[in-house]
Amino acid sequence: MLKKLLVVFGFISLILGIIGTLLPVMPTIPFLFVAYFCFSRGSDKFKEWYLQSKFHKKYLKALAFYRSVPLIYKILYVIGVLCFFIALGTVYYFFYERIMGFLFGIFR
């Protein structure tokens, strides 16, 4: 029963990781780590399938090879997060009145 539950959690985490590749708000790598953990504990068949998948090869192969995240990936991750927050702050700064007017108009 626990192994089936781990496989289900693995697929949920994999789906969230895929969504995280498309949305800048959600992280990708932590969900893929959780998926790998769940598949490795839940089923050898799904573990092997996951190791051969495109997502594992693209995002986690360097981690498996180097046993840590390479510095360039850390730098790119930090730059991406900073760009996201700068863009969010810019939208907030320039469009605060419009956003709040829109929200208050909806909830009245």
PDB file of all heavy atoms in Angstrom, residues 2-19:
ATOM      1  N   LEU A   2       1.925   1.270   0.807  1.00  0.00           N
ATOM      2  CA  LEU A   2       2.806   2.434   0.889  1.00  0.00           C
ATOM      3  C   LEU A   2       3.541   2.659  -0.430  1.00  0.00           C
ATOM      4  O   LEU A   2       3.698   3.798  -0.858  1.00  0.00           O
ATOM      5  CB  LEU A   2       3.815   2.260   2.030  1.00  0.00           C
ATOM      6  CG  LEU A   2       4.802   3.402   2.222  1.00  0.00           C
ATOM      7  CD1 LEU A   2       4.063   4.684   2.593  1.00  0.00           C
ATOM      8  CD2 LEU A   2       5.825   3.052   3.267  1.00  0.00           C
ATOM      9  N   LYS A   3       3.936   1.573  -1.088  1.00  0.00           N
ATOM     10  CA  LYS A   3       4.643   1.721  -2.364  1.00  0.00           C
ATOM     11  C   LYS A   3       3.735   2.311  -3.435  1.00  0.00           C
ATOM     12  O   LYS A   3       4.171   3.151  -4.226  1.00  0.00           O
ATOM     13  CB  LYS A   3       5.206   0.374  -2.811  1.00  0.00           C
ATOM     14  CG  LYS A   3       6.350  -0.089  -1.939  1.00  0.00           C
ATOM     15  CD  LYS A   3       7.009  -1.304  -2.505  1.00  0.00           C
ATOM     16  CE  LYS A   3       8.179  -1.665  -1.621  1.00  0.00           C
ATOM     17  NZ  LYS A   3       9.180  -2.408  -2.319  1.00  0.00           N
ATOM     18  N   LYS A   4       2.474   1.908  -3.461  1.00  0.00           N
ATOM     19  CA  LYS A   4       1.539   2.485  -4.427  1.00  0.00           C
ATOM     20  C   LYS A   4       1.312   3.965  -4.142  1.00  0.00           C
ATOM     21  O   LYS A   4       1.232   4.778  -5.067  1.00  0.00           O
ATOM     22  CB  LYS A   4       0.213   1.738  -4.382  1.00  0.00           C
ATOM     23  CG  LYS A   4       0.290   0.345  -4.924  1.00  0.00           C
ATOM     24  CD  LYS A   4      -1.042  -0.354  -4.847  1.00  0.00           C
ATOM     25  CE  LYS A   4      -0.912  -1.777  -5.344  1.00  0.00           C
ATOM     26  NZ  LYS A   4      -2.181  -2.509  -5.236  1.00  0.00           N
ATOM     27  N   LEU A   5       1.230   4.320  -2.874  1.00  0.00           N
ATOM     28  CA  LEU A   5       1.054   5.719  -2.490  1.00  0.00           C
ATOM     29  C   LEU A   5       2.275   6.550  -2.880  1.00  0.00           C
ATOM     30  O   LEU A   5       2.131   7.683  -3.354  1.00  0.00           O
ATOM     31  CB  LEU A   5       0.799   5.807  -0.982  1.00  0.00           C
ATOM     32  CG  LEU A   5       0.297   7.121  -0.433  1.00  0.00           C
ATOM     33  CD1 LEU A   5      -1.033   7.483  -1.067  1.00  0.00           C
ATOM     34  CD2 LEU A   5       0.154   7.031   1.063  1.00  0.00           C
ATOM     35  N   LEU A   6       3.466   5.992  -2.729  1.00  0.00           N
ATOM     36  CA  LEU A   6       4.679   6.693  -3.145  1.00  0.00           C
ATOM     37  C   LEU A   6       4.715   6.916  -4.654  1.00  0.00           C
ATOM     38  O   LEU A   6       5.145   7.973  -5.118  1.00  0.00           O
ATOM     39  CB  LEU A   6       5.918   5.922  -2.690  1.00  0.00           C
ATOM     40  CG  LEU A   6       6.282   6.066  -1.215  1.00  0.00           C
ATOM     41  CD1 LEU A   6       7.390   5.093  -0.848  1.00  0.00           C
ATOM     42  CD2 LEU A   6       6.703   7.485  -0.901  1.00  0.00           C
ATOM     43  N   VAL A   7       4.255   5.939  -5.414  1.00  0.00           N
ATOM     44  CA  VAL A   7       4.216   6.098  -6.867  1.00  0.00           C
ATOM     45  C   VAL A   7       3.223   7.194  -7.250  1.00  0.00           C
ATOM     46  O   VAL A   7       3.500   8.022  -8.123  1.00  0.00           O
ATOM     47  CB  VAL A   7       3.882   4.749  -7.554  1.00  0.00           C
ATOM     48  CG1 VAL A   7       3.590   4.951  -9.035  1.00  0.00           C
ATOM     49  CG2 VAL A   7       5.018   3.767  -7.364  1.00  0.00           C
ATOM     50  N   VAL A   8       2.074   7.232  -6.587  1.00  0.00           N
ATOM     51  CA  VAL A   8       1.089   8.281  -6.853  1.00  0.00           C
ATOM     52  C   VAL A   8       1.678   9.650  -6.520  1.00  0.00           C
ATOM     53  O   VAL A   8       1.561  10.603  -7.304  1.00  0.00           O
ATOM     54  CB  VAL A   8      -0.216   8.018  -6.066  1.00  0.00           C
ATOM     55  CG1 VAL A   8      -1.140   9.220  -6.125  1.00  0.00           C
ATOM     56  CG2 VAL A   8      -0.916   6.785  -6.589  1.00  0.00           C
ATOM     57  N   PHE A   9       2.314   9.771  -5.357  1.00  0.00           N
ATOM     58  CA  PHE A   9       2.965  11.033  -4.996  1.00  0.00           C
ATOM     59  C   PHE A   9       4.076  11.389  -5.978  1.00  0.00           C
ATOM     60  O   PHE A   9       4.308  12.557  -6.266  1.00  0.00           O
ATOM     61  CB  PHE A   9       3.525  10.987  -3.574  1.00  0.00           C
ATOM     62  CG  PHE A   9       2.484  11.171  -2.513  1.00  0.00           C
ATOM     63  CD1 PHE A   9       2.519  10.408  -1.368  1.00  0.00           C
ATOM     64  CD2 PHE A   9       1.477  12.113  -2.645  1.00  0.00           C
ATOM     65  CE1 PHE A   9       1.578  10.572  -0.386  1.00  0.00           C
ATOM     66  CE2 PHE A   9       0.521  12.285  -1.663  1.00  0.00           C
ATOM     67  CZ  PHE A   9       0.565  11.519  -0.530  1.00  0.00           C
ATOM     68  N   GLY A  10       4.766  10.387  -6.491  1.00  0.00           N
ATOM     69  CA  GLY A  10       5.797  10.628  -7.491  1.00  0.00           C
ATOM     70  C   GLY A  10       5.229  11.231  -8.759  1.00  0.00           C
ATOM     71  O   GLY A  10       5.792  12.186  -9.308  1.00  0.00           O
ATOM     72  N   PHE A  11       4.105  10.705  -9.225  1.00  0.00           N
ATOM     73  CA  PHE A  11       3.491  11.266 -10.431  1.00  0.00           C
ATOM     74  C   PHE A  11       2.916  12.659 -10.181  1.00  0.00           C
ATOM     75  O   PHE A  11       2.999  13.529 -11.045  1.00  0.00           O
ATOM     76  CB  PHE A  11       2.408  10.329 -10.973  1.00  0.00           C
ATOM     77  CG  PHE A  11       2.971   9.234 -11.833  1.00  0.00           C
ATOM     78  CD1 PHE A  11       2.965   7.924 -11.400  1.00  0.00           C
ATOM     79  CD2 PHE A  11       3.520   9.518 -13.066  1.00  0.00           C
ATOM     80  CE1 PHE A  11       3.495   6.916 -12.180  1.00  0.00           C
ATOM     81  CE2 PHE A  11       4.052   8.514 -13.867  1.00  0.00           C
ATOM     82  CZ  PHE A  11       4.038   7.217 -13.416  1.00  0.00           C
ATOM     83  N   ILE A  12       2.339  12.884  -9.011  1.00  0.00           N
ATOM     84  CA  ILE A  12       1.848  14.227  -8.684  1.00  0.00           C
ATOM     85  C   ILE A  12       3.005  15.218  -8.665  1.00  0.00           C
ATOM     86  O   ILE A  12       2.913  16.319  -9.215  1.00  0.00           O
ATOM     87  CB  ILE A  12       1.094  14.209  -7.339  1.00  0.00           C
ATOM     88  CG1 ILE A  12      -0.221  13.443  -7.473  1.00  0.00           C
ATOM     89  CG2 ILE A  12       0.828  15.625  -6.837  1.00  0.00           C
ATOM     90  CD1 ILE A  12      -0.925  13.178  -6.159  1.00  0.00           C
ATOM     91  N   SER A  13       4.091  14.829  -8.058  1.00  0.00           N
ATOM     92  CA  SER A  13       5.264  15.700  -7.998  1.00  0.00           C
ATOM     93  C   SER A  13       5.859  15.926  -9.387  1.00  0.00           C
ATOM     94  O   SER A  13       6.298  17.037  -9.709  1.00  0.00           O
ATOM     95  CB  SER A  13       6.309  15.091  -7.068  1.00  0.00           C
ATOM     96  OG  SER A  13       7.425  15.901  -6.996  1.00  0.00           O
ATOM     97  N   LEU A  14       5.856  14.903 -10.216  1.00  0.00           N
ATOM     98  CA  LEU A  14       6.354  15.055 -11.584  1.00  0.00           C
ATOM     99  C   LEU A  14       5.485  16.024 -12.380  1.00  0.00           C
ATOM    100  O   LEU A  14       6.002  16.889 -13.103  1.00  0.00           O
ATOM    101  CB  LEU A  14       6.403  13.695 -12.279  1.00  0.00           C
ATOM    102  CG  LEU A  14       6.927  13.679 -13.705  1.00  0.00           C
ATOM    103  CD1 LEU A  14       8.384  14.133 -13.751  1.00  0.00           C
ATOM    104  CD2 LEU A  14       6.794  12.288 -14.295  1.00  0.00           C
ATOM    105  N   ILE A  15       4.179  15.924 -12.221  1.00  0.00           N
ATOM    106  CA  ILE A  15       3.271  16.852 -12.907  1.00  0.00           C
ATOM    107  C   ILE A  15       3.498  18.277 -12.424  1.00  0.00           C
ATOM    108  O   ILE A  15       3.544  19.223 -13.221  1.00  0.00           O
ATOM    109  CB  ILE A  15       1.811  16.406 -12.709  1.00  0.00           C
ATOM    110  CG1 ILE A  15       1.551  15.125 -13.491  1.00  0.00           C
ATOM    111  CG2 ILE A  15       0.833  17.508 -13.131  1.00  0.00           C
ATOM    112  CD1 ILE A  15       0.245  14.443 -13.172  1.00  0.00           C
ATOM    113  N   LEU A  16       3.670  18.462 -11.112  1.00  0.00           N
ATOM    114  CA  LEU A  16       3.949  19.801 -10.589  1.00  0.00           C
ATOM    115  C   LEU A  16       5.292  20.324 -11.096  1.00  0.00           C
ATOM    116  O   LEU A  16       5.446  21.515 -11.352  1.00  0.00           O
ATOM    117  CB  LEU A  16       3.910  19.788  -9.063  1.00  0.00           C
ATOM    118  CG  LEU A  16       2.530  19.609  -8.447  1.00  0.00           C
ATOM    119  CD1 LEU A  16       2.641  19.464  -6.935  1.00  0.00           C
ATOM    120  CD2 LEU A  16       1.623  20.752  -8.811  1.00  0.00           C
ATOM    121  N   GLY A  17       6.262  19.445 -11.246  1.00  0.00           N
ATOM    122  CA  GLY A  17       7.549  19.851 -11.796  1.00  0.00           C
ATOM    123  C   GLY A  17       7.442  20.273 -13.255  1.00  0.00           C
ATOM    124  O   GLY A  17       8.074  21.231 -13.683  1.00  0.00           O
ATOM    125  N   ILE A  18       6.611  19.567 -14.015  1.00  0.00           N
ATOM    126  CA  ILE A  18       6.391  19.939 -15.414  1.00  0.00           C
ATOM    127  C   ILE A  18       5.688  21.288 -15.492  1.00  0.00           C
ATOM    128  O   ILE A  18       6.044  22.140 -16.307  1.00  0.00           O
ATOM    129  CB  ILE A  18       5.589  18.838 -16.139  1.00  0.00           C
ATOM    130  CG1 ILE A  18       6.451  17.579 -16.277  1.00  0.00           C
ATOM    131  CG2 ILE A  18       5.125  19.309 -17.508  1.00  0.00           C
ATOM    132  CD1 ILE A  18       5.695  16.364 -16.744  1.00  0.00           C
ATOM    133  N   ILE A  19       4.703  21.498 -14.624  1.00  0.00           N
ATOM    134  CA  ILE A  19       4.038  22.799 -14.576  1.00  0.00           C
ATOM    135  C   ILE A  19       5.033  23.879 -14.182  1.00  0.00           C
ATOM    136  O   ILE A  19       4.992  24.998 -14.693  1.00  0.00           O
ATOM    137  CB  ILE A  19       2.835  22.752 -13.619  1.00  0.00           C
ATOM    138  CG1 ILE A  19       1.743  21.852 -14.188  1.00  0.00           C
ATOM    139  CG2 ILE A  19       2.281  24.148 -13.350  1.00  0.00           C
ATOM    140  CD1 ILE A  19       0.612  21.562 -13.223  1.00  0.00           C
TER     141      ILE A  19
END
